[in-house]
Amino acid sequence: MPAARVEYIAPWWVVWLHSVPHLGLRLQPVNSTFNPRDESYQESLLFLGLVASVGLALNLIFLAVYLVCLCCCRREDGVQTKQRNSCCVTWTAVVAGLICCAAVGVGFYGNSETNDGVYQLIYSLDNANHTFSGIDALVSGTTQKMQVDLEQHLARLSEIFMARGDYIQTLKLMQQMAGSIVAQLSGLPAWRDVTAELTEVADQTGYVEYYRWLSYLLLFIMDVVICLIACLGLAKRSKCLLASMLCCGVLTLLLSWASLAADTAAAVGTSDFCVAPDTFILNVTQGRISTEVTRYYLYCSQSVSSPFQQALTIFQRSLTTMQIQAAGLLQFAVPLFPTAEKDLLGIQLLLNSSEASLHQLTALLDCRGLHKDYLDALTGICYDGIEGLLYLGLFSLLAALAFSTMICVGPRAWKHFTTRDRDYNDIDDDDPFNPQARRIAAHNPPRGPLHSFCSYSSGLGSQTSLQPPAQTISNAPVSEYMNQAALFGGNPRYENVPLIGRGSPPPTYSPSMRATYLSVADEHLGHYPA
């Protein structure tokens, strides 16, 4: 007998998603009952996707306003301000990269959960199809035996027992029992149409799920690659990589919001089904399958009797009666009619195989097997499937946040690169204060003897007593000029700064470099008061 039903309880996230307001495109309320064939219900799911598109529009407007403000608010920053901006850009890029990595991790988990739930649904549908196909095969096979094979044996026995009226009466009784069995089998529901529809649903679901899973996998890989490009562009100070990151970041931002729209609509629609799946299935099967049969498989309770019990009982009684009659004829008629033995043995074998088919049919028609498949399908789609969609929605939001941050950081990094290059390009190549010139000089041999720009007396008097001599050519080695560091309090960092005493840098310096060297000159004057 059927066991007590394992109750299906909708999870809290299904109830929460089902409570989301369902509105049409004209903002009129729509019934939230799952009805995918209703145009109003389809519009309510489409409206949820449009809400995500509004989020995309607001995101793009924010980025546009930010970039316009960044371009309009140009000002000359000091050295410390530039350093702070550079540090801010670096740490913001690091945080955006971490958010992107976290989003990809969440997305991988959600994609796997959704895939597991969908394939559990497909597996349950395949099991149900196997059960339905088995029922149809047993019914058709038993009907074939009773209508064709048994009729052939009974027709030959009727010719053999033509002279014996009692044996003919027994054969007619067996024929009536066979007709009763065929009548009961014909009353069972035929599952061929249901099997065909479930097979189509399983195939389409598997096809869509494969490309959905693959699309998200490619999106995850794209996000990781763009993060790597961004990190490499900032580390190498490459404008080309930075521009590539900005273009790909905008594309990924669009894909993230599009995936959020699809996930939201799919999650809400599936939740509407998972809140009351029994009601939807009863409505769909109405007029095609008996409501009693549908309820028997959906609820599978001990209080609900099997709608097939009467048919199976008549089948069992008729089969038992036929077996008794065939055994009697085999015992008493064969000694008188030896030619009837072959047909009687064939009837016995046919009835024995029909009895085995009866036991298999009883097991397949029992509600416990199909009800388990039904619960497994609900668990897969309503628990793992929707949970995975929620994680994918969280991935979309985190990815949108990460790439919005990267798009905001990109122009600042570009401006910082441009300012750095402009500061270096403003300095003469022969200027000893130019870092690029020092790097070039380190790799190239000296072009001539060094010239002394400053000459000092042996005493350390006031700065006014330090007068530079006339320009003369000196062949002294470089070490002679290195020893002049003693004039600056033993601090060697002034040894290659011959223009500090003039009080102003050469006119070839940029404004930022001029401010730096004037501060150094003031510090020098502070050490040596007049």
Side-chain angles (χ1 to χ4, degrees), residues 284-351:
V284 170
T285 58
Q286 188 175 8
R288 304 171 58 187
I289 302 175
S290 172
T291 303
E292 183 182 7
V293 173
T294 306
R295 288 182 177 275
Y296 172 68
Y297 286 118
L298 289 179
Y299 299 105
C300 194
S301 175
Q302 290 182 347
S303 60
V304 179
S305 60
S306 173
F308 315 114
Q309 187 63 43
Q310 183 179 0
L312 295 176
T313 301
I314 295 175
F315 188 177
Q316 179 67 52
R317 291 176 181 176
S318 301
L319 190 61
T320 302
T321 301
M322 293 175 66
Q323 288 176 334
I324 293 173
Q325 297 297 328
L329 290 176
L330 187 62
Q331 182 179 0
F332 297 106
V334 169
L336 300 176
F337 304 95
T339 56
E341 182 179 7
K342 180 178 179 181
D343 289 307
L344 289 173
L345 290 176
I347 291 175
Q348 277 193 333
L349 292 175
L350 186 147
L351 295 177

Side-chain angles (χ1 to χ4, degrees), residues 16-24 28-30 32 44-45 47-48 268:
W16 175 65
L17 289 173
H18 178 68
S19 63
V20 173
H22 290 61
L23 300 175
Q28 73 278 9
V30 177
S32 60
S44 66
L45 297 182
F47 179 80
L48 295 175
V268 173

Side-chain angles (χ1 to χ4, degrees), residues 70 73-86 89 412 415-416 419-420 422-423 510-516:
L70 184 64
C73 299
R74 293 182 176 274
R75 60 187 179 86
E76 295 294 338
D77 297 333
V79 176
Q80 295 181 355
T81 304
K82 291 180 180 179
Q83 292 177 354
R84 287 196 299 267
N85 290 339
S86 177
V89 168
R412 283 188 171 274
K415 183 179 179 181
H416 180 71
T419 304
R420 181 184 177 94
R422 184 175 64 248
D423 290 342
S510 64
S512 60
M513 297 292 288
R514 181 178 294 109
T516 302

Side-chain angles (χ1 to χ4, degrees), residues 21 117 129 186 199-200 283 299 365 424 478:
N129 276 340
S186 62
T199 301
E200 183 179 1
N283 293 333
Y299 299 105
L365 289 174
Y424 285 157
V478 178

Side-chain angles (χ1 to χ4, degrees), residues 45-317:
L45 297 182
L46 180 61
F47 179 80
L48 295 175
L50 293 178
V51 171
S53 66
V54 172
L56 171 61
L58 294 177
N59 192 357
L60 293 179
I61 291 174
F62 169 77
L63 292 178
V65 172
Y66 175 81
L67 294 178
V68 169
C69 293
L70 184 64
C71 294
C72 294
C73 299
R74 293 182 176 274
R75 60 187 179 86
E76 295 294 338
D77 297 333
V79 176
Q80 295 181 355
T81 304
K82 291 180 180 179
Q83 292 177 354
R84 287 196 299 267
N85 290 339
S86 177
C87 183
C88 180
V89 168
T90 302
W91 282 108
T92 305
V94 170
V95 172
L98 293 177
I99 294 176
C100 181
C101 293
V104 171
V106 171
F108 265 111
Y109 177 78
N111 199 33
S112 177
E113 284 291 299
T114 303
N115 186 259
D116 292 341
V118 171
Y119 275 100
Q120 186 173 350
L121 170 66
I122 296 174
Y123 180 76
S124 300
L125 293 178
D126 291 339
N127 285 341
N129 276 340
H130 180 72
T131 301
F132 291 141
S133 301
I135 293 173
D136 288 339
L138 289 174
V139 170
S140 61
T142 305
T143 302
Q144 173 74 18
K145 292 176 183 178
M146 295 298 168
Q147 288 182 340
V148 179
D149 299 341
L150 182 62
E151 286 293 333
Q152 292 177 356
H153 289 296
L154 293 178
R156 285 194 293 266
L157 289 176
S158 297
E159 295 177 358
I160 295 174
F161 298 149
M162 187 178 299
R164 296 294 300 267
D166 54 346
Y167 292 165
I168 295 297
Q169 190 68 26
T170 301
L171 294 179
K172 289 182 179 179
L173 180 61
M174 294 176 65
Q175 191 173 12
Q176 291 177 359
M177 295 296 103
S180 177
I181 291 175
V182 171
Q184 297 302 321
L185 292 177
S186 62
L188 297 177
W191 302 102
R192 286 186 296 273
D193 295 339
V194 175
T195 302
E197 291 184 3
L198 291 181
T199 301
E200 183 179 1
V201 169
D203 293 340
Q204 291 181 354
T205 303
Y207 178 81
V208 173
E209 172 59 21
Y210 172 76
Y211 284 102
R212 186 208 64 80
W213 175 84
L214 183 61
S215 299
Y216 269 103
L217 183 62
L218 295 177
L219 182 59
F220 300 152
I221 296 174
M222 180 186 298
D223 290 351
V224 174
V225 170
I226 294 174
C227 285
L228 292 178
I229 292 176
C231 294
L232 188 61
L234 292 176
K236 296 293 185 179
R237 299 183 178 273
S238 173
K239 294 183 179 180
C240 180
L241 293 177
L242 195 61
S244 301
M245 183 275 293
L246 291 175
C247 296
C248 296
V250 173
L251 175 61
T252 308
L253 186 64
L254 297 176
L255 294 177
S256 298
W257 282 103
S259 65
L260 178 62
D263 293 337
T264 303
V268 173
T270 309
S271 297
D272 294 338
F273 166 77
C274 292
V275 166
D278 300 343
T279 304
F280 173 75
I281 294 177
L282 286 172
N283 293 333
V284 170
T285 58
Q286 188 175 8
R288 304 171 58 187
I289 302 175
S290 172
T291 303
E292 183 182 7
V293 173
T294 306
R295 288 182 177 275
Y296 172 68
Y297 286 118
L298 289 179
Y299 299 105
C300 194
S301 175
Q302 290 182 347
S303 60
V304 179
S305 60
S306 173
F308 315 114
Q309 187 63 43
Q310 183 179 0
L312 295 176
T313 301
I314 295 175
F315 188 177
Q316 179 67 52
R317 291 176 181 176

